[in-house]
Amino acid sequence: MASNMDREMILADFQACTGIENIDEAITLLEQNNWDLVAAINGVIPQENGILQSEYGGETIPGPAFNPASHPASAPTSSSSSAFRPVMPSRQIVERQPRMLDFRVEYRDRNVDVVLEDTCTVGEIKQILENELQIPVSKMLLKGWKTGDVEDSTVLKSLHLPKNNSLYVLTPDLPPPSSSSHAGALQESLNQNFMLIITHREVQREYNLNFSGSSTIQEVKRNVYDLTSIPVRHQLWEGWPTSATDDSMCLAESGLSYPCHRLTVGRRSSPAQTREQSEEQITDVHMVSDSDGDDFEDATEFGVDDGEVFGMASSALRKSPMMPENAENEGDALLQFTAEFSSRYGDCHPVFFIGSLEAAFQEAFYVKARDEFTVLYEAELPTLRKLLAIYLHHDESVLTNVFCSQMLCAESIVSYLSQNFITWAWDLTKDSNRARFLTMCNRHFGSVVAQTIRTQKTDQFPLFLIIMGKRSSNEVLNVIQGNTTVDELMMRLMAAMEIFTAQQQEDIKDEDEREARENVKREQDEAYRLSLEADRAKREAHEREMAEQFRLEQIRKEQEEEREAIRLSLEQALPPEPKEENAEPVSKLRIRTPSGEFLERRFLASNKLQIVFDFVASKGFPWDEYKLLSTFPRRDVTQLDPNKSLLEVKLFPQETLFLEAKE
């Protein structure tokens, strides 16, 4: 029966090999196999060419990643210089039944449970969801995979999924249902910013962090790891809502209070203590986070001595170490590394990048492929994308001095690295610096690469890692061990450059296609914007025209009403028409209108001319708009004195007049 310390080592190795991050699940699988590491690994990941062999049984565990066969463009290497050992079948191949995986898929206000074998593909899940949700597969985006987006042809077994999984479906091309505003509210929440007030329990310090609603819980925990140095696996949380059931869930869906939410984080105890406590009390599953393989914990946190884990013998410290122990600032540590390297091996050596590993990524990778192509062939731009070479130094290796002095400082190697690589270095001699690099390695390259470096013996150092940046990940092209030659080192560097050049051409093609799509979209958006502006201008012009017409119509109506009121008042003020037979002289006037009609009326000869004007105005012909003319002789009657009588102006006993509009 393995001791507690051995069990913790077995647990760490088992999780690194299988990718199972849930500690309880890993312990259950190991207990089912009586803590036999090889049997437990084969029970989860059956090997096509044989069973893994373990150090615990007097055999060796091969590195699970970076098989040279998977990189045909790389130069052939001897087995002694490879970072990995081939799996040699020594027992009969073990067949196992496919695992059954449970998926809970959320789509809007529905949950669909899907149970499949791990030999099925992602596309088969979508076909089942198509029947359940009535959504075409082509319109469906299946999200929630802890490894990022996956293809429909991906086999579930290759994702190393736990038994229970939570996914969600997005349909950006389909309109939301009109009967519910849930999707609209979720989209609004995704665009909101959440203020998380996080208290670090051990040091009683508060951090105010802003996250968008589309950020995941896992991203929050990784940011907290950067601030507190508590690995995600060891974080103990308080304050998450009960609806936050998965670290891949975005904050908008988790039920956090908006705009501020308070959380508390502390360091979790070791796995052995956790198992003892779990037998006494069941704690909230959201209080302890399982890592997605993005942070590596030093074995000392589990109570395991690094010398036992890595099989290294302790040695006396050098008087001038390459790097200070427990180096907090990576830039200062690399300045000392460069100075000490120059003092030992001379000034002819690769130019080591001074800064953090993240800064080296930025310097090496984050340039457009088209820009780098222009630099390579036109020599106009100041920066270009390069490969990243990580040199891992170890003072206790017998190969270190030979590798540094004869190969790493060779002029041909120095020149080639300077032209095509960003070179970053780290010293693994001290256990604390080794653990820190493994944490960085786990975060940027995954647990498989970290486990590969972790299992390297001291005499296999130094190591040279060749890294190529991709859009979604950083790929380790090659791991070169210290027992090599200048020619072989140069050959492997050139092979990596060939792969990089081919990838560069693909990136240029992808960027051109993406830029073309973006240009088309920009043109469509601009045309749509101009169309909207034209429509808005037409609408505004029409509205102005209608408003002006309404205003003029109102004025016209007011004028007509005013004229009608004047006409009625004049009509009422007219004296009564005298009879033909009257004691007083009577004048009979016949007035022709512009339309050809005649107005006839009798007036007393003593009536003033103004009464005639009022009579004409009462019929709709105001004297300020029309003039009254006589025929023989032709004269403008409206120019005469209106206070004179008809007799005085010679409109007696009868007269024919006609109306004419004034100019």
Side-chain angles (χ1 to χ4, degrees):
M1 183 65 67
S3 66
N4 288 337
M5 184 174 296
D6 291 338
R7 286 189 176 188
E8 290 168 354
M9 294 172 62
I10 294 172
L11 174 62
D13 290 338
F14 178 73
Q15 287 184 295
C17 291
T18 62
I20 297 176
E21 304 298 342
N22 188 297
I23 294 178
D24 293 335
E25 181 182 356
I27 291 174
T28 301
L29 293 172
L30 286 168
E31 288 178 346
Q32 290 176 356
N33 292 276
N34 199 23
W35 290 89
D36 186 331
L37 178 61
V38 174
I41 292 175
N42 283 315
V44 176
I45 310 176
Q47 306 296 310
E48 297 179 357
N49 59 343
I51 298 178
L52 288 175
Q53 299 174 352
S54 169
E55 293 178 356
Y56 302 103
E59 298 160 341
T60 60
I61 298 177
F66 311 107
N67 190 335
S70 64
H71 301 283
S74 301
T77 60
S78 64
S79 60
S80 61
S81 63
S82 172
F84 317 98
R85 295 182 288 266
V87 176
M88 300 302 295
S90 62
R91 312 181 201 174
Q92 180 182 0
I93 296 176
V94 176
E95 298 290 340
R96 75 175 178 95
Q97 294 297 323
R99 294 174 63 216
M100 300 303 295
L101 302 178
D102 296 336
F103 296 90
R104 168 152 286 195
V105 184
E106 178 181 350
Y107 176 65
R108 291 178 178 168
D109 57 350
R110 291 190 57 186
N111 287 321
V112 179
D113 292 325
V114 179
V115 180
L116 286 175
E117 295 180 353
D118 62 358
T119 55
C120 297
T121 63
V122 174
E124 294 179 54
I125 298 180
K126 289 188 175 182
Q127 292 174 359
I128 295 175
L129 294 175
E130 180 180 21
N131 296 330
E132 292 289 337
L133 303 175
Q134 302 301 315
I135 299 173
V137 172
S138 59
K139 304 288 186 181
M140 186 187 306
L141 297 179
L142 193 55
K143 299 288 187 178
W145 305 102
K146 295 186 177 181
T147 57
D149 292 342
V150 297
E151 301 291 337
D152 288 357
S153 59
T154 303
V155 179
L156 299 178
K157 181 169 59 176
S158 66
L159 300 177
H160 309 304
L161 300 171
K163 170 127 180 104
N164 297 310
N165 302 271
S166 296
L167 305 174
Y168 59 94
V169 172
L170 296 180
T171 53
D173 296 334
L174 296 180
S178 58
S179 61
S180 174
S181 61
H182 173 72
L186 176 59
Q187 184 61 40
E188 183 179 354
S189 298
L190 290 173
N191 296 329
Q192 292 175 338
N193 286 330
F194 289 81
M195 168 69 78
L196 299 185
I197 304 174
I198 302 174
T199 302
H200 186 183
R201 186 184 301 110
E202 283 78 9
V203 299
Q204 290 300 309
R205 180 177 178 182
E206 279 192 356
Y207 300 96
N208 296 330
L209 305 180
N210 276 307
F211 292 93
S212 65
S214 58
S215 300
T216 63
I217 296 175
Q218 184 68 21
E219 292 175 6
V220 174
K221 294 180 178 180
R222 292 177 186 171
N223 276 270
V224 171
Y225 164 65
D226 292 334
L227 293 172
T228 64
S229 299
I230 302 177
V232 174
R233 180 183 297 169
H234 288 190
Q235 292 173 8
L236 185 65
W237 287 88
E238 293 178 359
W240 287 108
T242 55
S243 57
T245 56
D246 191 348
D247 282 0
S248 62
M249 179 181 294
C250 63
L251 298 183
E253 299 176 296
S254 64
L256 291 176
S257 301
Y258 179 80
C260 295
H261 191 91
R262 286 190 172 273
L263 297 169
T264 303
V265 66
R267 181 177 291 275
R268 180 189 173 208
S269 57
S270 66
Q273 294 172 340
T274 302
R275 290 197 299 274
E276 293 174 0
Q277 294 172 359
S278 64
E279 294 175 358
E280 300 174 1
Q281 179 181 0
I282 299 176
T283 58
D284 184 1
V285 68
H286 308 298
M287 305 282 283
V288 181
S289 170
D290 291 331
S291 170
D292 275 337
D294 293 324
D295 45 35
F296 176 88
E297 297 77 39
D298 185 9
T300 57
E301 297 184 7
F302 291 97
V304 182
D305 183 76
D306 279 336
E308 295 175 2
V309 173
F310 296 101
M312 298 184 298
S314 60
S315 61
L317 295 175
R318 294 180 181 269
K319 294 182 179 179
S320 299
M322 295 293 292
M323 188 173 287
E325 190 171 3
N326 293 317
E328 294 184 359
N329 187 291
E330 296 176 18
D332 293 342
L334 286 169
L335 283 174
Q336 177 172 330
F337 183 94
T338 302
E340 182 64 22
F341 195 96
S342 298
S343 66
R344 292 188 189 182
Y345 307 109
D347 293 331
C348 182
H349 61 75
V351 178
F352 297 117
F353 181 84
I354 306 300
S356 65
L357 184 56
E358 289 82 356
F361 287 154
Q362 293 281 345
E363 183 77 12
F365 302 150
Y366 298 142
V367 178
K368 283 188 176 181
R370 174 64 65 184
D371 293 342
E372 71 184 64
F373 188 85
T374 304
V375 173
L376 288 171
Y377 292 95
E378 298 180 10
E380 293 181 355
L381 300 178
T383 58
L384 69 158
R385 189 189 300 179
K386 295 183 178 182
L387 288 170
L388 176 64
I390 299 179
Y391 169 64
L392 299 180
H393 186 87
H394 201 301
D395 273 335
E396 296 181 359
S397 173
V398 296
L399 301 174
T400 297
N401 286 331
V402 175
F403 183 84
C404 292
S405 59
Q406 298 185 12
M407 280 157 280
L408 198 56
C409 293
E411 291 186 3
S412 58
I413 299 297
V414 171
S415 175
Y416 196 76
L417 286 174
S418 300
Q419 293 177 6
N420 303 295
F421 291 79
I422 296 294
T423 306
W424 189 84
W426 197 257
D427 182 19
L428 303 185
T429 307
K430 304 294 184 182
D431 291 343
S432 59
N433 293 340
R434 180 188 184 96
R436 179 166 181 175
F437 176 77
L438 289 174
T439 301
M440 293 187 288
C441 182
N442 202 5
R443 185 186 313 161
H444 296 294
F445 309 123
S447 59
V448 176
V449 178
Q451 176 66 8
T452 301
I453 297 174
R454 181 172 178 264
T455 55
Q456 298 295 309
K457 304 297 183 184
T458 301
D459 290 341
Q460 292 174 316
F461 283 90
L463 296 180
F464 218 57
L465 277 63
I466 308 300
I467 315 296
M468 180 174 69
K470 289 190 174 182
R471 288 186 296 273
S472 59
S473 62
N474 301 317
E475 180 180 350
V476 180
L477 294 181
N478 215 332
V479 179
I480 305 173
Q481 293 181 337
N483 54 344
T484 185
T485 63
V486 174
D487 292 340
E488 184 178 356
L489 178 59
M490 177 62 76
M491 183 174 61
R492 298 179 74 169
L493 293 177
M494 295 175 65
M497 275 302 299
E498 291 178 2
I499 299 175
F500 172 70
T501 303
Q503 181 63 44
Q504 169 190 323
Q505 298 301 324
E506 294 181 7
D507 290 345
I508 291 175
K509 181 180 178 182
D510 292 343
E511 287 181 1
D512 288 345
E513 293 176 353
R514 182 169 60 255
E515 186 173 353
R517 291 194 300 269
E518 291 175 353
N519 287 337
V520 171
K521 186 177 183 303
R522 280 195 295 269
E523 292 174 358
Q524 292 175 343
D525 292 343
E526 180 64 16
Y528 180 66
R529 185 186 65 80
L530 294 176
S531 175
L532 289 179
E533 290 182 354
D535 292 343
R536 183 171 60 254
K538 289 181 180 179
R539 184 171 62 254
E540 292 175 352
H542 179 69
E543 291 174 353
R544 288 195 299 269
E545 182 180 354
M546 294 298 295
E548 181 65 17
Q549 290 180 358
F550 179 78
R551 187 183 67 83
L552 295 176
E553 182 67 18
Q554 288 296 110
I555 294 175
R556 186 187 64 79
K557 286 183 179 180
E558 291 175 358
Q559 291 176 346
E560 288 183 354
E561 291 174 355
E562 183 180 358
R563 292 177 62 179
E564 180 65 15
I566 294 174
R567 188 191 69 79
L568 291 175
S569 65
L570 291 174
E571 188 176 23
Q572 293 174 358
L574 288 174
E577 183 179 4
K579 296 181 180 180
E580 291 186 5
E581 298 178 358
N582 197 311
E584 295 185 28
V586 175
S587 177
K588 186 178 181 180
L589 298 181
R590 194 166 182 259
I591 303 170
R592 182 180 179 181
T593 66
S595 63
E597 298 179 356
F598 285 91
L599 303 174
E600 294 183 1
R601 193 180 191 278
R602 293 182 297 276
F603 299 90
L604 293 175
S606 60
N607 288 149
K608 295 181 178 181
L609 184 59
Q610 182 65 48
I611 295 177
V612 176
F613 292 160
D614 292 344
F615 169 72
V616 173
S618 69
K619 298 301 181 181
F621 303 98
W623 67 275
D624 57 340
E625 296 181 12
Y626 294 87
K627 54 187 177 180
L628 193 61
L629 304 174
S630 63
T631 54
F632 299 104
R634 181 179 175 85
R635 57 178 179 167
D636 186 355
V637 177
T638 54
Q639 298 295 324
L640 302 177
D641 186 359
N643 292 317
K644 290 184 176 182
S645 66
L646 297 181
L647 184 61
E648 291 175 336
V649 296
K650 299 179 180 181
L651 295 178
F652 176 82
Q654 61 182 15
E655 186 67 43
T656 299
L657 305 172
F658 62 92
L659 288 169
E660 184 178 286
K662 291 183 178 180
E663 294 180 357

